[in-house]
């Protein structure tokens, strides 16, 4: 009997923690909700919601304010919202063209963020970590929210082992076997949990939670810059593979007679659709970065033939690769981000005709191809979501850990 009662106690504690998590996550992702909306969303009673919200308010994670009753009779409803400084995170991003840092509050609002173009050739691990640390210091100083920080999330254009933030390979940075998680933790010296994940995976996470992919269950996010990354969501869950290296769609071999890739192979998809290929075909130097791509887009808009044909080539190869992915994954949505989001208005027709030609019709007819809606910062926002995850998945457990003496944690 004692054991049974103990188990019952454990079970109700688990349910309480699950309910707290669903309230915090709901408010974080969807913004303020009334108590009645929380009742509807969670299926809990009004008094249970009252008690749980009270607990979260005491902990400083949410606040309540009286909202107007909207003219309807009865008591005025109360609007519950997350406190942005109840737990803020530091988000970092390392790409080939730029470094970015941001402080993001609970609820996803960006408190302060900054992106700097990288100096070409300043790609060594030491220089990158030093530059990113300095950028983070500036952004933190402007945000003035260090006391609220609960974690650090990092996005990088490379293959990352999530467990410890180890970058096995970042071909376009020339990195191999870099213990980035440990290096950043040491350089930032902030005594906060730090996680690292692939840029495109985090862009996909952000688009899924807050952008063009909201509500999708089977989703491909294709992210193009110098390299090409993919975030694959299958049945609502990210496809990571055994060690977290999955989803490297940029290195699908598509053209055995093509160019050498940064990964060492030949004719990978990114050698046909990456930034370098676009710039070369349009008659620009391949290393020109974002500004050079903008120049090609301006030329295309004004009808310059080389720019138009370069973009058309990109659209054709983009469609061929997407057709293969559609046949394998049968997604309901494809989100084009980064470079592909920017060229989308020019290539939408070509991509569609390539899908018509190469994708199997039962899969093809169900798929919507849309540009990303969060812009260049999607991976940075995804890095913030990664850093929020321990709090979102178990706020009660997280609060206990936070209140534990630092010595006990260490
Ligand atoms: Zn490759």
């Amino acid at each position: 009997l004692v054991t049974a009662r103990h188990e019952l106690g454990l079970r109700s504690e688990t349910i309480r923690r699950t309910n707290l998590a669903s309230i915090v996550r709901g408010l974080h992702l969807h913004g303020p909700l009334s108590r009645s909306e929380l009742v509807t969303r969670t299926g809990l009673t009004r008094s249970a919601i009252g008690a749980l919200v009270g607990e979260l308010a005491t902990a400083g994670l949410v606040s309540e304010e009286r909202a107007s009753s909207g003219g309807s009779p009865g008591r005025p409803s109360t609007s519950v919202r997350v406190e942005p400084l109840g737990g803020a995170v530091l988000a970092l991003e390392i790409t080939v063209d730029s470094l970015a840092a941001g402080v993001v509050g609970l609820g996803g609002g960006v408190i302060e963020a900054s992106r700097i173009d990288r100096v070409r050739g300043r790609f060594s691990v030491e220089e990158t970590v030093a530059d990113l640390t300095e950028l983070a210091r500036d952004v933190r100083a402007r945000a003035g929210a260090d006391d609220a920080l609960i974690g650090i999330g990092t996005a990088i254009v490379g293959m990352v082992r999530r467990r410890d933030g180890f970058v096995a390979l970042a071909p376009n940075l020339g990195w191999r076997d870099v213990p980035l998680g440990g290096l950043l933790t040491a350089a930032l010296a902030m005594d906060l949990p730090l996680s690292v994940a692939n840029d495109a995976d985090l862009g996909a996470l952000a688009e899924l939670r807050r952008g063009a992919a909201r509500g999708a269950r089977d989703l491909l996010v294709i992210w193009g810059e110098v390299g090409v990354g993919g975030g694959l969501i299958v049945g609502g869950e990210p496809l990571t593979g055994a060690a977290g290296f999955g989803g490297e769609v940029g290195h699908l071999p598509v053209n055995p007679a093509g160019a050498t890739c940064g990964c060492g192979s030949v004719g990978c998809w990114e050698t046909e659709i990456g930034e370098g290929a676009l710039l070369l075909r349009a008659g620009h130097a391949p290393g020109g970065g974002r500004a050079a791509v903008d120049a090609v887009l301006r030329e295309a808009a004004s009808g310059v033939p080389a720019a138009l044909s370069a973009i058309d080539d990109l659209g054709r190869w983009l469609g061929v690769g997407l057709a293969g992915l559609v046949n394998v994954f049968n997604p309901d949505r494809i989100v084009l981000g980064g470079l592909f989001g920017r060229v989308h208005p020019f290539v939408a027709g070509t991509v569609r005709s390539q899908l018509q030609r190469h994708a199997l019709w039962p899969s093809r007819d169900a798929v919507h191809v849309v540009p990303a809606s969060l812009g260049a910062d999607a991976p940075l926002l995804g890095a913030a979501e990664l850093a929020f995850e321990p709090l979102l998945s178990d706020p009660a457990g997280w609060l206990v850990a936070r209140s534990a003496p630092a010595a006990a944690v260490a």
Side-chain angles (χ1 to χ4, degrees):
L1 187 67
V2 173
T3 312
R5 198 175 296 155
H6 177 65
E7 274 177 11
L8 205 62
L10 277 182
R11 206 177 310 148
S12 79
E13 171 61 9
T14 307
I15 292 168
R16 186 185 73 94
R17 288 168 80 150
T18 307
N19 289 336
L20 284 169
S22 103
I23 293 173
V24 173
R25 193 183 288 276
L27 295 170
H28 172 71
L29 293 180
H30 298 276
L33 294 169
S34 70
R35 282 194 177 197
S36 326
E37 285 167 321
L38 285 171
V39 166
T40 311
R41 294 173 69 94
T42 57
L44 297 170
T45 64
R46 206 173 169 87
S47 68
I49 287 290
L52 294 167
V53 166
E55 198 178 325
L56 292 169
T58 306
L61 291 179
V62 308
S63 61
E64 291 189 272
E65 64 183 39
R66 286 255 154 135
S68 79
S69 59
S72 63
R75 49 181 155 172
S77 80
T78 306
S79 162
V80 187
R81 62 188 65 223
V82 288
E83 274 296 319
L85 295 182
V89 298
L90 176 65
L92 306 171
E93 187 186 5
I94 299 170
T95 79
V96 178
D97 289 331
S98 66
L99 297 176
V103 173
V104 179
L106 192 56
V110 175
I111 297 168
E112 197 67 60
S114 184
R115 181 176 296 275
I116 53 169
D117 287 337
R118 303 193 73 174
V119 181
R120 286 278 156 178
R122 205 173 147 77
F123 279 173
S124 79
V125 174
E126 293 71 25
E127 289 165 332
T128 304
V129 168
D131 290 352
L132 190 58
T133 304
E134 195 185 322
L135 181 65
R137 196 177 300 131
D138 288 351
V139 169
R140 283 164 54 200
R142 276 189 279 123
D146 264 14
D147 289 347
L149 290 178
I150 62 165
I152 304 162
T154 311
I156 180 166
V157 285
M159 299 172 70
V160 182
R161 187 170 67 203
R162 293 234 181 160
R163 174 160 57 80
D164 55 359
F166 184 87
V167 178
L169 182 68
N172 294 305
L173 297 172
W175 292 11
R176 209 189 165 116
D177 295 339
V178 176
L180 183 65
L183 293 172
L184 277 175
T185 299
L188 291 162
M190 291 170 69
D191 198 21
L192 291 173
L194 180 144
S195 39
V196 184
N198 172 268
D199 209 51
D201 286 344
L202 292 177
L205 179 67
E207 290 289 341
L208 183 66
R209 289 192 172 178
R210 305 188 178 279
R214 213 179 255 230
R217 297 276 303 157
D218 292 278
L219 165 74
L220 304 177
V221 177
I222 310 295
W223 204 269
E225 300 294 345
V226 173
V228 172
L232 280 60
I233 311 278
V234 178
E237 296 292 325
L239 180 106
T240 57
F245 299 149
E248 286 293 335
V249 296
H251 301 282
L252 277 175
V254 294
N255 184 1
T260 302
C261 181
C263 75
S265 180
V266 168
C268 292
W269 199 21
E270 77 175 38
T271 66
E272 300 293 352
I273 61 172
E275 190 180 287
L278 174 70
L279 293 175
L280 265 178
R281 287 179 182 135
H284 291 251
R290 201 172 291 254
V293 171
D294 285 340
V296 174
L297 295 181
R298 277 196 304 274
E299 289 167 14
S302 62
V304 174
L308 284 170
S309 109
I311 287 176
D312 196 54
D313 277 351
L314 185 152
R316 218 158 30 79
W317 281 109
L318 185 60
V320 167
L322 287 180
L325 292 170
V326 163
N327 290 344
V328 173
F329 289 103
N330 179 208
D332 50 20
R333 215 170 305 179
I334 295 174
V335 174
L336 300 178
L339 169 63
F340 306 136
R342 291 151 75 207
V343 302
H344 180 261
F346 295 97
V347 301
T350 312
V351 167
R352 204 164 30 243
S353 67
Q354 291 300 313
L355 286 174
Q356 290 288 339
R357 186 160 173 209
H358 298 290
L360 300 164
W361 67 262
S363 295
R364 178 189 72 211
D365 286 359
V367 69
H368 299 280
V369 182
V370 296
S373 66
L374 298 175
D377 282 337
L380 189 69
L381 298 175
E385 293 299 323
L386 183 68
F388 278 124
E389 204 45 45
L391 167 60
L392 297 178
S393 43
D394 183 13
W398 180 83
L399 285 165
V400 169
R402 185 179 68 169
S403 63
V409 175

